[in-house]
Amino acid sequence: MPDLIELDGRTFVPANQAPVAEWACVTSDRPQPTLTLKDDDLFLIIDTLGNISGRLDDSTVASLGLFCRDTRFLSRLELQIEGRSPVLLSSNATKGFAFSALCTNPLIDDNLPADTLGIEREIVLNGGLFEELTLTNYSTKPVRFEMSLSFDADFLDLFEIRGFQRGDRGQLLRRVMPPTGFGDADSNGQPRFTHSSVPDPTELTLAYQGRDGVLTESHIQFLHQRPSFLKGYTALWYVDLASHQTVKVGYRLEMRMNGRLVSTVSPPTTLMQAKAAEQLEETEWHAATTRIRTDNKDINQILERAEQDIYLLRQTFEQGKALSAGVPWFSTLFGRDSIIAAMQTLILDPAIARETLTVLAHYQGKADDGWRDEAPGKILHELRFGELARCQEIPHTPYYGTVDATPLWLLLYADYYAWTHDRDTLDRLWPNALAAMEWIDQSCRETGYLSYNRRSRKGLPNQGWKDSDTCIVDRHGQMAQGAIALCEVQAYVYAAKLRLSDIARLYKRFDLADRWQAEAQDLKTRFNRDFWVDDLDFCALALDGDGKPVDSITSNPGHCLGLGIFDLEKARSVAERLQAPDLFNGWGIRTLSSLSPAYNPMGYHVGSVWPHDNGLIALGLRSLGFTDAALEIAQGLLDMTLQQPYCRPPELFCGYERTPGTAPVQYPVACSPQAWATGTVFHLMQLMINPVPNAPANHLRILDPVLPDSIRHLSLQNLRVGSTLLDLEFERVGNATGCCVVKKRGNLRVVIEA
């Protein structure tokens, strides 16, 4: 007799004690392209037919599924006609939250020739998953066929899908209706489960109980036309269609934990309501953001896709919405990624920065906790909600193993105020800013530099933006040891102290203002002495635990260019060195010189090219007057993006050299969409127009705007600086770019310095 488990007023049995017949998967030898849908904290990865293969042991489809709060709620979703896969005619996921496909049937037999059926498939995410299938008989004769939808859910934690090895898991459950839920005994005397083990043919429940006792469910409610019957987790319809007759089939999937809805978005009842809710929210968001367009239709495609992806990556956390880092692996709150993406999109939507600052302040470190690398005042690295986090198998509740998120938070705090003059937010977060600076000061006390050294046994060994295990190497390719002080992190600290000293004066904290300014100048002096490698005439990647330079040639010093920490001569040397062919590959600047023994063009941080890295470097080059070099990087990134699916910049791509007729080489598991890759598009626009906002002083400076050869005209509509909304237009004639204010709603003073 199987073990009966009573949970939430319902009866379940362990799935391994109640086997049901599985519906065979349709397999393909060809790798299937995938599409991504996202709605707030929910995302779906499917193939171009709209399916999730049931063969998830195949590495090419391992990331497919429906995910929420780091849990896979659907690991199989497969449409079949008479046991065969439909023939795809076209599919589209442009909207990001919706998918549509047109299919037909393959040759089944004489009664169902090929191309008889028109199959319209539509999937929408809005707090749950909604699907509708519309089937039309386009033959002159009636047809009868079997259609099936197969479901399954493994409820894996996202970290398990990424390869995390754990011991015991919880148990998959099957819902039953005792005592009639059991069939006759089999030949061994064991109960045999029949289709009556599913309590209601209008619905289907997939369930799992975690090691923490949490009951996790995918609840499927069938709409329009109920299945003819259920066979295990496969719903079957026997469909009779007269000539040109149409039938509609659908379902609604809710995700639950302990009986409560999982998503922060409340799901509506129907697909049409879900689509309407998404479209309304999207329309309202676009109306409140800056619209940037050019006379180049290709670049406009990139801009439109970037706007859409920023909208999709917005995700609700306890205190508001911040940008999740990227789909699929990092669809959650990341300190560094969310902050940089918020910086990049200040020109698009300053509200993203306000909510990012607020959310991260809510989670700011309060205790000294080695397991989570937490300390008072520190900004988090990563927040997770899955079973591994709930069971303390990983420290991400949240995890604080990042050295740069805290000074970056301070820079965003200052940048946001410069764009908005939002004194209420400045006042509300001033205690958090003081706590963040106190953490920096305490951390710098021993060596004078902000460094990291992992405390958590399950934490990250490297805690800058290059956080893979083997990326902090010297010129000989040997890994650095001990506490690591990264060059760009010192630049963030330097700039934060200068920016916060100005804000301290607003609060009449002249003691802090003077101290931070003096500390910044002292840091600059020491930095130019300790990080400079004379024989390379370049800045070290870092200082190691002994205070010695980690002297490889990397992209990291490029982040320092726009922050003022370099002496001018050294800044120029770094700027020129970054343009050399061992770093610049034609598409962008590599993370590590191709001359390094550790160089690998396919390495995550040791030879690849990252768009956000290049955007920050290009802005730094622009600030030093290396405008042509900055525009060359911008054009390379735009050219690369045009060759990506949906004109969507990836998290990173391989560092192979650009040659005529070749495309950028994709990194196999790059996130897409990814927040700071998408945000780079707006950084590049900012590079061209070069705005310097000062909303507290009620003015905006446009410094020497320059459009690349690929753009003759660029416009910004609804640009918000302080309380003023602006429409600006930029026009290039020959080598000169002019700017004019087309419309202004407010009294902001705009100064154009060409």
Side-chain angles (χ1 to χ4, degrees), residues 200-248:
D200 188 339
T202 64
E203 63 181 37
L204 182 61
T205 298
L206 311 171
Y208 169 79
Q209 187 177 31
R211 290 185 62 201
D212 55 352
V214 172
L215 174 63
T216 306
E217 298 174 88
S218 294
H219 182 76
I220 298 164
Q221 178 185 10
F222 295 104
L223 307 172
H224 303 301
Q225 182 169 319
R226 61 194 293 177
S228 303
F229 69 90
L230 300 175
K231 186 173 182 180
Y233 290 152
T234 295
L236 295 105
W237 289 262
Y238 293 130
V239 183
D240 291 283
L241 290 178
S243 175
H244 287 261
Q245 183 183 358
T246 294
V247 67
K248 183 174 287 188

Side-chain angles (χ1 to χ4, degrees), residues 459-470:
L460 294 169
N462 288 316
Q463 299 183 1
W465 85 261
K466 294 178 181 176
D467 57 6
S468 54
D469 291 355
T470 59

Side-chain angles (χ1 to χ4, degrees), residues 15 23 54 108 117-118 129 185 246 297 365 383 424 436 449 488-489 491 495 505 528 535 582 592 620 628 648 694:
W23 196 261
I108 303 298
L117 302 175
L129 186 150
T246 294
K297 62 180 180 59
L383 177 65
D424 289 343
Y449 295 113
E488 74 273 18
V489 173
R505 295 183 193 282
N528 281 273
D535 67 319
D582 62 312
L592 178 67
D628 290 344
R648 175 182 275 159
N694 189 347

